[in-house]
């Protein structure tokens, strides 16, 4: 992707309940550091008349205003696809888009969530046992984390979701892309957790708006690693309980940063400074990011 030709750049985030998102600040600070007048706005469906039904209009409006890109989050990662001209290989495989590049009158859909999780996982949980992984959540974010952990070498992945049909569909989709791995829709969480080596949490539970634990705390074991996608707050109830038990943990901050790294590069054609973006995120969240800790432990 060619680098932007002008010093001014506009982008935005479409989603619901996104006022606490740190994505705008990450993009604008990195843009400033690279000499861009980078403006990034929130297009919150909770604050827009018509809500979800406004999605196609928001895309058209962004194009008309000269936006160079849009990030897409819950609940639009799948709904946006019919309104795009092209999809990257990963977005097509996942059936979910979190980054739309607007260029020359065309809309190009990408997914940087999966790489964001994979890179965070690689840095934050080096040497993690990938023999048998349990994942909670089969939505757009769950598709990204499932793809990422299988790309990272998971031998077996068991996917749970409140909607059994959704977990079955995601398992079948992942088996097509990773035919040499065991990917199944879970039915008995207690049984699967008893033999699991790791746990990925990919639901909204634990966010400020949805407090609580996504599974009974007594299913956590010290031998497990636990990876979270929620980053607001960074220390979710799940991570607090997992750390008490003695699990290696990974917060959702790294995924949030690295998906932004990928999106920034796609939007602008410039190479973002990953470490600078990690430091900026850490400053905003007032604590060291888990992914940069040698011992390990996002959106």
């Amino acid at each position: 992707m060619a680098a932007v030709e002008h010093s001014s750049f506009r982008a935005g985030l479409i989603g619901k309940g996104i006022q606490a998102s740190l994505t705008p600040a990450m993009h604008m600070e990195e843009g400033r550091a690279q000499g861009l007048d980078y403006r990034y706005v929130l297009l919150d469906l909770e604050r827009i008349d018509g809500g979800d039904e406004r999605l196609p209009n928001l895309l058209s409006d962004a194009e008309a205003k000269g936006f160079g890109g849009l990030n897409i989050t819950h609940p639009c990662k799948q709904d946006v696809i019919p309104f795009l001209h092209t999809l990257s290989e990963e977005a097509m495989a996942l059936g979910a888009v979190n980054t739309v590049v607007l260029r020359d009158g065309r809309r190009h859909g990408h997914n940087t969530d999966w790489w964001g999780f994979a890179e965070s996982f690689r840095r934050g949980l080096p040497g993690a046992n990938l023999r048998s992984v349990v994942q909670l959540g089969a939505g757009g974010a769950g598709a990204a984390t499932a793809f990422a952990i299988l790309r990272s070498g998971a031998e077996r992945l068991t996917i749970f979701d409140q909607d059994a049909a959704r977990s079955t569909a995601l398992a079948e989709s992942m088996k097509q892309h990773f035919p040499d791995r065991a990917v199944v829709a879970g039915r008995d969480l207690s049984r699967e957790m008893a033999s699991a080596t790791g746990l990925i949490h990919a639901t909204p539970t634990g966010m400020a708006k949805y407090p609580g634990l996504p599974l009974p705390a007594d299913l956590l074991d010290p031998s497990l690693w636990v990876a979270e996608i929620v980053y607001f707050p960074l220390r979710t109830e799940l991570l607090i309980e997992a750390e008490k038990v003695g699990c290696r943990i990974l917060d959702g901050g790294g995924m949030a940063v690295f998906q932004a790294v990928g999106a920034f590069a796609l939007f602008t054609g410039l190479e973002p400074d990953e470490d600078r973006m990690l430091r900026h995120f850490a400053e905003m969240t007032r604590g060291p990011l888990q992914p940069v800790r040698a011992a390990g432990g996002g959106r």
Side-chain angles (χ1 to χ4, degrees), residues 240-276:
I240 291 170
E241 292 300 321
E243 197 167 42
K244 285 180 184 176
V245 171
C247 303
R248 295 177 69 195
I249 62 171
L250 179 70
D251 66 44
M255 181 179 181
V257 173
F258 288 112
Q259 66 78 24
V261 166
F264 183 95
L266 287 167
F267 285 166
T268 67
L270 300 173
E271 189 67 29
D273 186 318
E274 296 176 2
D275 290 334
R276 180 166 59 210

Side-chain angles (χ1 to χ4, degrees), residues 91-142:
M92 193 175 299
L94 295 172
V97 164
N98 80 314
T99 300
V100 177
V101 176
L102 304 173
R103 194 150 299 168
D104 300 324
R106 294 178 66 79
R107 305 165 182 171
H108 307 282
H110 300 265
N111 190 299
T112 65
D113 282 335
W114 81 267
W115 179 78
F117 182 81
E119 184 64 11
S120 174
F121 189 88
R122 182 186 71 82
R123 292 187 177 212
L125 291 174
N129 188 335
L130 297 177
R131 178 177 54 80
S132 181
V133 180
V134 169
Q135 175 170 300
L136 307 179

